[in-house]
Amino acid sequence: MIQFWSHKYQLQEMPADPSDKNPSIHEGALLKVVWPDGRTGYADLFPVKKFGDADIDTQLAALASGKLSPLAEQSIWLAKRDAILRKNKQSAFAGMAKVKNHFLVTDLMTFSDSKMAEIRSAGYSTLKLKVGYDPEEEVKLISRWLKQHPIMLRLDFNSKLKFDDYQVFMLSLKQGERARIEFVEDPFPWNFDGWKEVSGFVPLAIDNEAEKIDWARIKSPVPFKVMVIKPARTDIEKAVAKVHQHALKMVVTSSIDHPVGIAHALHVATELKKFNPYTLLDCGCLTLRVYKPNEFANSIQVTGPYLAGIKGTGIGFDDLLEKTPWVKVQK
Ligand code: MG
C-alpha cells in the first residue's frame, strides 16, 4: 500500500499596499508519498478556490479514504517522478535546459514605471498581466506602457470577460499595440465559435478553459495558438500530445503554489524544453514573489528571468523536507 504523509502550510500573499494589515492567506499541503518498495517522493497539493477545488482539509480527508481528486492524482504523479530521481540520487536539475520566464504582474494598478525599468534591466522580455478586473483602466495602462517600454505582453483574463467586452477591449487598442501582445489567455468562457471570431485580434492561449473542450469533436484548426500547461493540474502527456496534434506552442506555468510545486513545474518545463526547444515559449514558473518568502523559497536561486536549480536530490530541498513535521494521512 502506498502511504501518504502531509504537512499543511499557509502562504501569505505579498500585499500590493505594504500597509495592508489583512493580506490573503492560501492553504495547501506538502505530500510525502512512500511506495511499498520504500521509494519516497514529494509534491505539493495546492487547491485553488477560484478553480472550484475543494479546500485542503477536504482534499486530505478524501486522500485518507482512498478517493483521489484530480489535483491529488497529479500530485502523486509528480511525487513519483521525484521518488525515482531520489532513489537514483539524481537531481532533477542536473544539466537542465535553461527556461526563461515571463514576469508575472498580479496587480496592474500598483505596478510602477520604476518596477518596469527594474524588470527590463533584469533581462525579462515578456510581462504577463492578470487582467479583467477593471478593463477600462487596464486598457489605458497597457497603451501607456507599450508606448513607453519596449516589451511584449501576455494578458490573462481568466475568463472574466464576456464576448462583447473582449471585443471592446481589443478595439480600444491600436493595431500596433495589439501586435505587441504575444497572446491573450482565456479571454472569456470557451466556445469554439466565439473564440474563433476574436482570434484575429491577438493569438489566443487556452489554460483552464481547456477542461471544457470536447477534443474528440473539436474542429481543426483550433482557434487558439498556445496551450498553457500547469504540471500541478494538467495531465502533461495528454496536453503535449494535443500541442503536437494541433501544431500549437506551449507554456508551462506553476499553479502559483508552494515552492515545491514550483520546483516540479520547473522540472517539467526543463524536460519539455530539451525535447521541444521551439515549441516551448517563455514559461511562468517564477511565481515566488507572489507570497511572503518561506525557507523553501529562500533556497531557490533566481537569476533575472531564470530559476537556477535547487540543491539536493530529486526536486531538491532535502534538508528542509527532512525536518518538516509530517502527519500520516489516515482515516
Ligand atoms: Mg491562466
Side-chain angles (χ1 to χ4, degrees):
M1 268 246 303
I2 302 180
Q3 291 180 39
F4 298 104
W5 302 75
S6 71
H7 170 72
K8 272 174 64 176
Y9 64 77
Q10 292 190 331
L11 297 174
Q12 184 188 312
E13 258 183 50
M14 293 287 260
D17 172 3
S19 65
D20 186 348
K21 293 278 182 294
N22 293 306
S24 301
I25 302 285
H26 302 263
E27 283 197 309
L30 297 181
L31 285 188
K32 173 179 170 179
V33 187
V34 183
W35 277 268
D37 63 1
R39 277 192 291 195
T40 303
Y42 301 88
D44 186 19
L45 183 61
F46 187 71
V48 181
K49 205 173 166 187
K50 69 176 176 207
F51 298 150
D53 300 330
D55 65 25
I56 191 60
D57 291 321
T58 311
Q59 298 271 352
L60 291 173
L63 188 60
S65 58
K67 289 188 213 101
L68 301 184
S69 66
L71 202 63
E73 240 175 78
Q74 201 56 26
S75 297
I76 296 165
W77 186 83
L78 292 168
K80 180 97 190 242
R81 285 161 54 93
D82 181 47
I84 293 168
L85 288 163
R86 282 181 196 276
K87 179 89 195 299
N88 298 331
K89 306 232 173 325
Q90 286 173 330
S91 161
F93 309 110
M96 69 177 186
K98 263 186 136 186
V99 173
K100 197 170 183 179
N101 292 286
H102 58 230
F103 188 93
L104 177 67
V105 181
T106 48
D107 188 346
L108 229 63
M109 300 304 166
T110 57
F111 192 74
S112 62
D113 282 300
S114 63
K115 188 75 197 158
M116 179 73 90
E118 205 181 291
I119 286 161
R120 281 178 50 208
S121 65
Y124 287 90
S125 20
T126 321
L127 246 74
K128 170 165 163 174
L129 315 178
K130 292 275 188 188
V131 284
Y133 301 93
D134 185 350
E136 267 181 53
E137 281 306 309
E138 288 163 358
V139 96
K140 280 187 221 155
L141 264 178
I142 288 169
S143 301
R144 184 166 71 76
W145 286 348
L146 286 173
K147 244 181 232 119
Q148 292 171 352
H149 306 279
I151 38 142
M152 285 295 282
L153 298 179
R154 296 172 168 182
L155 308 183
D156 186 0
F157 287 96
N158 276 317
S159 322
K160 280 198 180 63
L161 299 187
K162 296 197 172 73
F163 173 88
D164 292 340
D165 308 329
Y166 182 66
Q167 280 203 316
V168 169
F169 192 102
M170 280 296 139
L171 290 168
S172 319
L173 293 168
K174 296 193 186 78
Q175 201 176 358
E177 293 170 333
R178 290 199 295 265
R180 304 234 329 263
I181 300 175
E182 187 187 7
F183 58 73
V184 165
E185 212 174 301
D186 291 347
F188 48 84
W190 164 255
N191 76 76
F192 189 97
D193 296 331
W195 277 48
K196 186 165 182 232
E197 208 169 322
V198 300
S199 61
F201 288 125
V202 169
L204 295 174
I206 196 153
D207 180 11
N208 300 302
E209 292 299 315
E211 281 174 18
K212 299 180 190 160
I213 297 180
D214 182 354
W215 288 100
R217 293 167 151 234
I218 196 165
K219 289 171 268 177
S220 215
V222 292
F224 47 87
K225 299 265 187 256
V226 178
M227 194 146 176
V228 178
I229 300 176
K230 290 196 182 99
R233 310 184 64 85
T234 321
D235 182 317
I236 293 149
E237 282 166 27
K238 277 191 198 155
V240 173
K242 299 292 178 230
V243 166
H244 292 314
Q245 188 186 342
H246 295 278
L248 306 173
K249 301 279 186 197
M250 56 187 167
V251 170
V252 172
T253 76
S254 79
S255 190
I256 316 190
D257 45 4
H258 188 279
V260 163
I262 290 177
H264 273 296
L266 174 65
H267 182 213
V268 168
T270 61
E271 279 192 340
L272 290 176
K273 185 77 185 176
K274 203 187 278 177
F275 300 109
N276 312 269
Y278 304 108
T279 315
L280 187 75
L281 305 174
D282 282 8
C283 287
C285 299
L286 222 178
T287 51
L288 289 167
R289 61 177 76 75
V290 173
Y291 303 112
K292 196 172 155 207
N294 57 22
E295 277 189 285
F296 285 84
N298 289 336
S299 58
I300 301 183
Q301 203 194 325
V302 179
T303 317
Y306 299 96
L307 282 159
I310 304 153
K311 284 203 192 90
T313 50
I315 54 146
F317 309 113
D318 296 6
D319 304 349
L320 293 173
L321 291 166
E322 186 67 38
K323 69 174 192 190
T324 295
W326 297 101
V327 177
K328 184 124 195 244
V329 178
Q330 57 194 358
K331 267 203 211 177

